[in-house]
Amino acid sequence: MHIVVCIKQVPSAIAVKVDAATQALTCTGSDYLINPFDENALEAALALKDSLKAKVTVLTVGSAQTAEVLREALGRGADAAQLLSDAAFEGSDAWATSKILAAAVQKLGDVNLVICGKQTFDGDTAQVGPGIAEFLGWPCVAFVRKIESDGASLKLERIYEEGFEKLTLALPAVLTVGKEINTPRMASLKGRMAAKKAQLAPVTAAALGLAPETVGAKGSRTRLARMAPVPRKSGGIKVDGSDPAVAAKLVVDKLREMKLV
Ligand SMILES: Cc1cc2nc3c(=O)[nH]c(=O)nc-3n(C[C@H](O)[C@H](O)[C@H](O)COP(=O)(O)OP(=O)(O)OC[C@H]3O[C@@H](n4cnc5c(N)ncnc54)[C@H](O)[C@@H]3O)c2cc1C
């Protein structure tokens, strides 16, 4: 079985700001991490590799800097990694990002299963996993919390609002997973050392057979109108609770003033 894991590099939340001029997120000086749910996606693939002798390839769409998350995945036990990087990819929305990842899966040729995180820390759209499935014409099961496989099909548990569902799914397919599914392993020292030497030459739009105008800003279906940080919450109002009747009246008056009751 050949499993592809899609991982995105995300900034550690503390240092993210919105650039007023460009409306883009600026992350200068912050640390970068593997998107947390993508660590679970990688762990799910590595667990299948342990039980089925599967091959695991990790893919990321990003700049040269995102090679670091690929090295981390290689250190944890992935067999191969591809950095999908090209000036033509800049400005890609979730639709175009899905298209690039699907093209890379198609180019690999022998992929049976794609596992994504359920959503990212920054973009947070949860569209890319289902988007890849749509471009590939494969079924997609989102929010998976358990995967078992005999190599030919999958037995899954999928979380939904009221509980969970048990499903059987034929391959090829795309899954998205969250933190409930597993606890990600750490990279071994040996793995880390080997990953440092990995050659991660960028895989370009041309190499994937994608015309530049079908990806990036030109190929995207969404246009960003405005982005703004969530306003900071004020300190609130402390109510002296020593006289419950007075305190209750104060709270009700305040709610009325704010037109909340
Ligand atoms: C108009 C517009 C312009 C944009 N321009 C840029 C830009 O120039 N540069 C930029 O970095 N972002 C840009 N973005 C953001 C970019 O589109 C998203 O980061 C990307 O589509 C992923 O969406 P998401 O973060 O919501 O992922 P989700 O859909 O929440 O992610 C779900 C899962 O998909 C996989 N996944 C998501 N993104 C990637 C990835 N990059 N590589 C591998 N796997 C992935 C992961 O497994 C992830 O857990 C732009 C967005 C818009 C709307």
Side-chain angles (χ1 to χ4, degrees), residues 5-10 35 37-38 41 59-62 84 89-98 101 115-130 132 176-177 217 220-224:
V5 180
C6 298
I7 61 178
K8 184 180 181 189
Q9 190 183 49
V10 292
N35 178 54
F37 299 129
D38 304 355
L59 301 179
T60 193
V61 181
L84 313 176
F89 297 159
E90 278 172 30
S92 288
D93 64 1
W95 193 85
T97 304
S98 308
L101 288 162
I115 311 181
C116 293
K118 65 174 183 174
Q119 68 203 97
T120 60
F121 243 42
D122 52 358
D124 203 23
T125 66
Q127 289 175 357
V128 170
I132 296 169
T176 78
V177 302
S220 291
R221 302 289 173 98
T222 32
R223 297 284 172 264
L224 194 59

Side-chain angles (χ1 to χ4, degrees), residues 105-153:
V105 171
Q106 259 165 345
K107 188 81 184 168
L108 285 167
D110 60 350
V111 177
N112 312 94
L113 178 62
V114 177
I115 311 181
C116 293
K118 65 174 183 174
Q119 68 203 97
T120 60
F121 243 42
D122 52 358
D124 203 23
T125 66
Q127 289 175 357
V128 170
I132 296 169
E134 193 63 24
F135 278 111
L136 293 171
W138 294 1
C140 178
V141 180
F143 311 122
V144 172
R145 72 167 194 184
K146 190 172 177 187
I147 308 173
E148 285 172 7
S149 178
D150 55 9
S153 64

Side-chain angles (χ1 to χ4, degrees), residues 214-239:
T214 65
V215 288
K218 279 188 191 159
S220 291
R221 302 289 173 98
T222 32
R223 297 284 172 264
L224 194 59
R226 184 169 171 266
M227 197 181 317
V230 178
R232 277 180 181 271
K233 282 188 181 160
S234 70
I237 303 159
K238 274 196 180 160
V239 177

Side-chain angles (χ1 to χ4, degrees), residues 133-196:
E134 193 63 24
F135 278 111
L136 293 171
W138 294 1
C140 178
V141 180
F143 311 122
V144 172
R145 72 167 194 184
K146 190 172 177 187
I147 308 173
E148 285 172 7
S149 178
D150 55 9
S153 64
L154 301 175
K155 281 188 180 161
L156 306 172
E157 284 182 14
R158 181 179 86 92
I159 301 167
Y160 70 110
E161 290 83 353
E162 311 285 309
F164 69 94
E165 285 176 338
K166 288 191 175 204
L167 307 160
T168 307
L169 184 68
L171 296 170
V174 179
L175 309 180
T176 78
V177 302
K179 64 176 169 30
E180 308 79 10
I181 195 165
N182 53 39
T183 305
R185 70 190 70 183
M186 306 285 281
S188 66
L189 184 60
K190 195 175 157 206
R192 248 183 235 283
M193 298 305 283
K196 269 191 181 177

